[in-house]
Amino acid sequence: MDLLIKIAVTFFAGMGAGLGTGFAGMSAAAVITPMLVTFLGIEPYTAVGIALSSDVLASAVSAYTYGKNKNLDVRNGLLMMFSVLVFTVVGSYVSSLVPSTTMGNFSVFMTFLLGVKFIVRPVMTTKEAMQSVSAKKRAVQSLVCGMIIGFICGFIGAGGGMMMLLILTSVLGYELKTAVGTSVFIMAFTALTGAVSHFSIGGSPDWLIFALCVIFTFIWARIAAVFANKATPKTLNRATGIVLVILGVVVMAFSFIK
């Protein structure tokens, strides 16, 4: 029975995380962490490490799928990733100097609001409009926005994937598929960095739960990414919005259970 519970929890956690990653570039930690803590009693720090590890392959396969369909901005993605990583450290340091505040549900609430936003006001920017911005301006924007995203993520400790998607679509004017593709490309590297540091500090996880979460998240991320790249912009906006709203509501419910 214990094994069946582990399989069931990791399957639904992986499904939610994979769909969120493949559709919206959302971090798996937003779904997997609360489910592992709530239903399997995993220590929160270890649960985050497992979630980040699940994110690595899920984000990588999603990025590959988006890249194969020419929906990935590698050049500016690398620039943004560099500034995100640097300023995550800066934000984390500043956070350690100020009194702690109750912001644990920030990324969950943001997931819900972003989902509503995609349903009510879909992103209908075309690739032609996106590419009309000069390469120099886009590079500067990527660096600056990466600094903002990194600092907020380091200071709050959550919200990376959602922050990237919001800024890529609303501030940098990315077409939705390219925004998600670029977001998961960045997330693959940031998740790898986070996973290695978590297990280096916190020790080994339950390897069965680890493997199940990685496999299930990978499978569902692949399914979501394939569907997303074939969908029309209107359908993709609605599907992304519905997935984010459902995940936001479910994870908020888990926080009350805990």
Side-chain angles (χ1 to χ4, degrees), residues 163-232:
M163 283 295 300
M164 266 188 276
L165 185 61
L166 180 63
I167 286 181
L168 285 170
T169 54
S170 301
V171 179
L172 298 184
Y174 272 60
E175 174 259 345
L176 183 56
K177 291 181 183 179
T178 307
V180 176
T182 305
S183 178
V184 290
F185 173 73
I186 297 169
M187 289 297 293
F189 293 96
T190 56
L192 178 61
T193 304
V196 171
S197 64
H198 264 71
F199 292 137
S200 297
I201 296 169
S204 300
D206 180 316
W207 290 112
L208 175 61
I209 293 174
F210 173 92
L212 289 172
C213 283
V214 169
I215 292 168
F216 289 139
T217 306
F218 174 86
I219 292 171
W220 284 101
R222 171 65 175 165
I223 292 170
V226 170
F227 174 84
N229 278 278
K230 291 180 178 179
T232 62

